[in-house]
Amino acid sequence: QVLLQESGPGLVKPSQTLSLTCTVSGGSITTNSYYSYWIRQPAGKRPEWIGYINWNGLKLYNPSLKSRTSISRDTSNNQFSLHLMSVTPEDTAVYYCAVWLKEGPTINADYWGQGTQITVSS
């Protein structure tokens, strides 16, 4: 089973950068057709995808966030990270990392971290 664990601070001050790391075990993020996602869900609102890095290192960001977002990976440690810059209270949400096995249009498997609450407040 593929297991994911988010790590990072729970509180971030406005204008700072939110940095989170997802550690993956039980499977390699470089496995063919694996997409490593960051997703967030503000309280009472629908989930919002932030972006992903796929097994080849290709990155794609939500257009609404891409100007502030950077996703990277450390294949040696089987980790991928999120950096969200210039945060505001609107960025307060539960942040999830996830790995999806996607082959063509089909999601054949999905693995999720437990989520971590990030609060942006001074």
Side-chain angles (χ1 to χ4, degrees), residues 69-101:
T69 305
S70 178
I71 294 174
S72 60
R73 67 181 182 176
D74 178 352
T75 58
S76 296
N77 292 304
N78 211 32
Q79 296 175 325
F80 63 103
S81 297
L82 169 69
H83 302 280
L84 183 63
M85 298 171 287
S86 302
V87 299
T88 74
E90 289 297 309
D91 295 310
T92 295
V94 177
Y95 284 72
Y96 298 90
C97 60
V99 172
W100 294 352
L101 173 61

Side-chain angles (χ1 to χ4, degrees), residues 25-39:
S25 62
S28 173
I29 60 175
T30 63
T31 297
N32 187 36
S33 301
Y34 272 20
Y35 292 75
S36 299
Y37 273 87
W38 287 101
I39 301 137

